[in-house]
Amino acid sequence: MRAAGDGPWLDDAAGRLVRPFTVSNGRTRPTVALDLISQVRATGATPLGYLGPEHAQALDLCRAPVPVAEVAAHLGLPVAVTKVLLADLVDCGALTDKPPAFHHNRTDRALLEAVLDGLRRQL
């Protein structure tokens, strides 16, 4: 088993010992609108107050711009919980967020068909 400061508490037989909703103190809605592909990045500001180990891990992952979905994958937490943690860090000035920008035709049919064909070949 890992120590509390080393990340999520894990047990080889039981798995995660701390339930995801406890990581966000039971909160389910972030205070900042974050999309799965929103980019988050550390500002370099030191957050004031107590942050849990998951907050610290998320902040460490965000030294370079990274999508919200990737942070959730690295933390091993549900996206909803990760969004709450990241919103906490945005609120205290430790992170900045950038919503996804679409500068092209989002409904490019040829691209979608190519992706679908590639997926079909994989199955």
Side-chain angles (χ1 to χ4, degrees), residues 71-91:
V71 175
H74 283 290
L75 293 178
L77 291 171
V79 174
V81 172
T82 301
K83 285 181 179 182
V84 171
L85 296 178
L86 293 175
D88 290 346
L89 292 168
V90 169
D91 290 343

Side-chain angles (χ1 to χ4, degrees), residues 51 59 103:
L51 292 178
L59 192 55
H103 298 291

Side-chain angles (χ1 to χ4, degrees), residues 6-105:
D6 293 340
W9 292 357
L10 299 173
D11 180 81
D12 291 336
R16 179 181 279 278
L17 298 176
V18 176
R19 297 290 176 231
F21 66 87
T22 61
V23 172
S24 62
N25 293 325
R27 294 173 294 145
T28 59
R29 296 192 194 274
T31 57
V32 176
L34 295 169
D35 194 284
L36 283 175
I37 58 175
S38 294
Q39 299 282 315
V40 288
R41 181 178 189 160
T43 63
T46 304
L48 300 175
Y50 172 77
L51 292 178
E54 288 83 4
H55 285 93
Q57 285 179 312
L59 192 55
D60 187 50
L61 291 169
C62 297
R63 284 185 253 149
V66 61
V68 170
E70 190 172 329
V71 175
H74 283 290
L75 293 178
L77 291 171
V79 174
V81 172
T82 301
K83 285 181 179 182
V84 171
L85 296 178
L86 293 175
D88 290 346
L89 292 168
V90 169
D91 290 343
C92 73
L95 281 184
T96 184
D97 67 308
K98 181 179 176 186
F102 296 102
H103 298 291
H104 62 313
N105 183 359

